[in-house]
Amino acid sequence: MSGKADLAAVTTYFGLLWPQLNEGLTYHDIVRPTDAGLTLIEFYFRKYKNSAPLQGWLQRIQNKQITIDGKVVVLPDTELRAGAELVYHRLPWREPDAPYLLEVLFEDDYLIVVNKPSGLQVLPGGLYQQRTVLTQLQWHACKLTTTSSGCQKTHPVPVHRLGRGTSGILLCAKTKLCKSRLAAYFAEGTSVVEDKYTNSECNTMRKICKIYRALVSGVMDMDEVVIKQPIGTIKYPGVAKGLYVASPSGKPALSSVCVLERDSENNCTLVQVEIQSGRPHQIRIHLSFIGFPLIGDPLYVSGGQPKCFHSELMDESFEEDGGYQRPENPVPGDSGYNLHAHQICLIHPITNELIKITAPLPAILQTREEREASQPNSS
C-alpha cells in the first residue's frame, strides 16, 4: 500500500460501568418432528450437553427455568410433541471482571475504530454475555441516538475478533454496506493464503494490512521469519467447538515476523507480526510453533499445542446455575500475555481513501528507543 495518510488518534473515550448482574438469557427452541417423543430432560441434555451435566439440567427444570408453550414445567419426564415451543430462562449472574472503557482511534459516518483493552471480550460467549465490546457499542449508540421511541435498532458492530487477552485496534462498522465490504476484505486476505500465493503477492493483493506487537519467550536469532503452519482444531475440555492448534491437516495460515529488539538478560524478544490470514489465535499458535511462545501465555507452548491437555471427560460437577464449573485446564480466553494490534492500513470501504490507524503501544511492547522518545523530558 502506498500514498497512505496517517490519522492522528482521537483521545476520546466512552464506556459505562458494568452492573453487578447481567440480565440473564433466554434460549428458544421449537421441537422438530424427529425430536417428538423425547422427554424434556432428554431433549436438553442431548442438545445442550456442553452447557450442563445431566444433574445440572434436572436442577434447571425443577427450578422452574423452562417453559413449554408458555407454561412452566417442572417434571423432567414430560414428553414433547412436535411444534412445541421451549424456552429456557438462564438466571442473571455476575460475570467475571472486565474493563469497560474504549478509546476511539478513528470515527466517521461509516466506521468507528476503538482501542480494545486486554481482558475485554469482543462478542458474547461463555460467561461473558454482557461484558463485551458489542454491549458498550450498543449502549454508546443508544446514548447518542435516543429518540422519543427509544434507541435506534442499528448500532456499530465489530467486523473481526481479537482474543480477550489481546489489546489494540478493533474495526467496527456503522452500516450494513460497510460491514459487508470490510468482511470481504478479511475474507480476501485469507483466500489468497489458501490459494498459496507468495508472501509478496499476498501483500499486493490485499485491501487491509494488520500489524501486531508481541513479547515472546527466548531470544530469536533470525531477524525475519515467515510462518506458514496450518491451523486446525482438536477436542479440548471446556471448548465446545474445539481448540485451535498447529495442525498439518488444518487450514492455511501465514504470519510474517520481524525482530525489533532482543533482550538476552531477560531471555525475551520484542517482535512485530504481520498476519496475511486471520485464523483464531494465529499469532499465539504460530510463534509458539517455532519455539517462541508469548511470555505469560497460559495456553500455548512450543509446537503450537496446549500447555496441559487431559482428554478425559469433563467433570460432572456444576455451578449454582446448573452449568459446568470452569475447567482446570487453561482456555483460549485466559489472559496474561502481551499481544497488541498496533496498526491497520486499509482502503476505506466507502470512500476508497487509503488510511492508516495506530493504537498506542503499552510500555512493555515499546522498543527502548520508543520508550525514551515518550518520556516527557526527552528532546
Side-chain angles (χ1 to χ4, degrees), residues 99-378:
Y100 68 94
L101 279 178
L102 293 167
E103 179 186 5
V104 179
L105 301 173
F106 171 78
E107 184 172 14
D108 62 13
D109 292 338
Y110 313 101
L111 267 176
I112 180 169
V113 183
V114 299
N115 185 8
K116 185 189 86 69
S118 174
L120 179 60
Q121 192 155 299
V122 175
L123 298 175
L127 292 176
Y128 295 88
Q129 294 295 327
Q130 183 180 68
R131 298 186 179 191
T132 66
V133 173
L134 180 62
T135 299
Q136 289 293 350
L137 288 170
Q138 292 171 338
W139 289 349
H140 184 57
C142 184
K143 181 179 178 181
L144 294 177
T145 61
T146 48
T147 64
S148 57
S149 59
C151 299
Q152 290 187 355
K153 292 184 179 180
T154 58
H155 56 79
V157 293
V159 295
H160 62 107
R161 295 194 186 213
L162 291 178
R164 192 191 310 152
T166 304
S167 59
I169 296 172
L170 183 68
L171 301 179
C172 307
K174 290 184 174 182
T175 68
K176 289 183 178 179
L177 178 60
C178 182
K179 178 184 177 182
S180 64
R181 289 184 177 175
L182 284 172
Y185 285 6
F186 286 104
E188 288 167 5
T190 299
S191 67
V192 296
V193 173
E194 291 178 341
D195 291 338
K196 299 183 179 178
Y197 289 96
T198 65
N199 190 29
S200 59
E201 286 173 331
C202 288
N203 280 328
T204 59
M205 298 174 70
R206 290 177 301 146
K207 294 180 180 177
I208 190 165
C209 171
K210 298 178 288 182
I211 296 175
Y212 292 71
R213 285 280 181 98
L215 187 64
V216 303
S217 177
V219 179
M220 295 180 66
D221 52 358
M222 55 283 211
D223 293 331
E224 296 182 356
V225 60
V226 176
I227 309 169
K228 298 181 179 180
Q229 172 61 35
I231 293 174
T233 59
I234 59 172
K235 290 184 178 180
Y236 188 84
V239 184
K241 296 182 179 179
L243 177 69
Y244 286 93
V245 297
S247 169
S249 60
K251 294 182 178 180
L254 179 61
S255 302
S256 301
V257 182
C258 176
V259 170
L260 298 177
E261 200 167 79
R262 298 178 177 88
D263 185 346
S264 300
E265 184 178 346
N266 293 303
N267 191 36
C268 61
T269 307
L270 181 65
V271 297
Q272 175 176 290
V273 186
E274 182 178 348
I275 58 173
Q276 314 283 13
S277 51
R279 306 299 178 198
H281 316 300
Q282 177 174 321
I283 293 175
R284 297 167 65 188
I285 294 169
H286 270 181
L287 288 170
S288 64
F289 175 75
I290 63 171
F292 297 95
L294 272 64
I295 289 180
D297 192 330
L299 181 59
Y300 294 106
V301 294
S302 294
Q305 300 298 314
K307 182 175 294 185
C308 51
F309 176 55
H310 304 293
S311 58
E312 66 268 11
L313 293 175
M314 190 177 295
D315 185 1
E316 291 293 303
S317 59
F318 53 92
E319 299 284 5
E320 289 183 10
D321 72 343
Y324 284 109
Q325 291 186 341
R326 188 194 186 286
E328 293 184 5
N329 287 338
V331 293
D334 292 344
S335 303
Y337 54 89
N338 293 287
L339 178 60
H340 183 71
H342 179 40
Q343 291 182 334
I344 281 188
C345 299
L346 74 155
I347 304 293
H348 193 290
I350 306 298
T351 67
N352 288 321
E353 180 187 3
L354 190 56
I355 59 176
K356 176 180 177 182
I357 301 170
T358 301
L361 288 164
I364 196 170
L365 293 178
Q366 293 177 343
T367 64
R368 193 173 296 105
E369 185 177 332
E370 287 168 338
R371 286 195 299 272
E372 291 173 354
S374 66
Q375 295 301 317
N377 296 327
S378 62

